[in-house]
């Protein structure tokens, strides 16, 4: 999928010790381009690739950007089947454990502090790496996610 809009969206993620992946997409229904086609059909197409129900456009594309962020952090991109990415939502209590006694995030949280939904993911064929991520708070009609890899071994 490519980001196609008349407005520029720039997202920067930096880490000195983690593999990062970022993805941003404009909702099909928010695109102002001619030929954006049947929104419902495009959502169904993405849902089919992910192996999920088509449901709500925002939910499907949020799932898509999470998958792409993980696969970019993984380094293999879409050479890996998107269905091989498995997710676990994090509890709000998990974030309290990420802070040291000075209320600073430790390295495992990658400094992501906006309070947006956070999640963990793994790629089916690589049990030694877990990806921690969060959804990005972006402009209306835009969804995004950032993921970073944390070696378990």
């Amino acid at each position: 999928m490519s980001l196609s809009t008349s407005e520029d969206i720039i997202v920067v993620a930096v880490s000195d010790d983690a593999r990062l992946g970022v993805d941003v997409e404009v909702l099909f229904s928010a695109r102002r381009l001619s030929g954006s086609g049947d929104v419902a059909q495009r959502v169904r197409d993405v849902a089919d690739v992910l192996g999920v129900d088509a449901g709500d456009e925002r939910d499907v594309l949020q799932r898509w950007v999470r998958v792409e962020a993980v696969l970019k952090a993984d380094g293999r991109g879409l050479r890996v089947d998107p269905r091989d990415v498995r997710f676990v939502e994090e509890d709000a209590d998990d974030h309290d454990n990420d802070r040291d006694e000075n209320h600073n995030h430790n390295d495992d949280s990658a400094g992501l502090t906006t309070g947006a939904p956070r999640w963990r993911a793994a790629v089916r064929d690589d049990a030694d790496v877990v990806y921690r991520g969060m959804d990005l708070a972006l402009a209306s009609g835009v969804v995004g996610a950032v993921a970073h890899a944390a070696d378990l071994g």
Side-chain angles (χ1 to χ4, degrees):
M1 306 213 120
S2 62
L3 180 65
S4 300
T5 180
S6 60
E7 299 173 16
D8 292 330
I9 298 171
I10 298 172
V11 177
V12 176
V14 178
S15 173
D16 60 356
D17 66 351
R19 296 184 323 233
L20 295 173
V22 177
D23 193 48
V24 174
E25 293 288 339
V26 176
L27 297 179
F28 299 125
S29 58
R31 295 181 188 189
R32 295 185 201 110
L33 301 173
S34 61
S36 62
D38 177 21
V39 170
Q41 182 58 52
R42 297 202 57 195
V43 171
R44 284 191 299 273
D45 291 345
V46 172
D48 285 347
V49 169
L50 293 174
V52 298
D53 291 331
D56 177 71
E57 176 189 14
R58 179 174 291 277
D59 292 342
V60 170
L61 283 183
Q62 188 65 60
R63 174 75 172 216
W64 177 260
V65 296
R66 287 178 177 184
V67 166
E68 280 226 44
V70 167
L71 294 178
K72 288 175 180 178
D74 175 76
R76 293 180 285 173
L78 291 175
R79 291 187 304 263
V80 173
D81 187 335
R83 290 168 237 203
D84 286 346
V85 178
R86 300 287 183 235
F87 290 94
V88 176
E89 298 288 332
E90 290 187 2
D91 293 330
D93 292 342
D94 287 346
H95 308 300
D96 293 336
N97 296 330
D98 289 340
R99 295 179 185 273
D100 64 20
E101 62 276 359
N102 296 318
H103 301 287
N104 296 314
H105 277 276
N106 60 28
D107 290 340
D108 195 33
S109 68
L112 304 174
T113 61
T114 66
R118 296 184 186 202
W119 38 268
R120 292 178 190 243
V123 179
R124 184 178 310 184
D125 66 354
D126 191 357
D128 292 335
V129 180
V130 65
Y131 297 88
R132 295 195 66 192
M134 68 179 276
D135 298 343
L136 300 174
L138 300 169
S140 175
V142 180
V143 294
V146 61
H148 74 96
D151 292 327
L152 297 178

